[in-house]
Amino acid sequence: MAKTTQRGQVIRRKARQMKVTTARAVKGAGRSARQVQVTLGDLIAAAFDTVGGEVKKVAQVVSSKDMTVATGKHIVFVG
């Protein structure tokens, strides 16, 4: 609970709690962000930097559901 004073009186007010699902959080985050053009090579290079150079793990990261939501494209590795 937070306390607020108004003309010498102490008023207690409850903080609002919101239940946010992952999809709504991602959708809300994308609205305020500016769009950036990123190439597939940039995504793969960033995945290699993050994972540490293992090809199978990079393929999992780039083709994951979270990456699909973030980029709006489904990426599939064949090979």
Side-chain angles (χ1 to χ4, degrees):
M1 292 184 127
K3 291 183 180 179
T4 308
T5 58
Q6 179 179 356
R7 297 184 199 163
Q9 299 174 352
V10 176
I11 301 170
R12 292 182 184 258
R13 59 182 171 89
K14 255 189 184 176
R16 284 192 216 169
Q17 293 181 351
M18 295 180 65
K19 189 174 184 180
V20 179
T21 61
T22 306
R24 287 183 67 192
V26 170
K27 185 178 178 182
R31 256 186 273 143
S32 62
R34 62 185 176 94
Q35 288 185 342
V36 178
Q37 189 171 4
V38 179
T39 64
L40 181 60
D42 293 337
L43 287 176
I44 294 171
F48 267 107
D49 290 343
T50 303
V51 173
E54 297 182 34
V55 177
K56 288 184 180 181
K57 288 186 178 180
V58 169
Q60 286 177 342
V61 168
V62 175
S63 61
S64 68
K65 287 184 180 182
D66 293 331
M67 189 66 76
T68 301
V69 171
T71 59
K73 305 286 184 200
H74 182 68
I75 301 169
V76 178
F77 282 95
V78 179

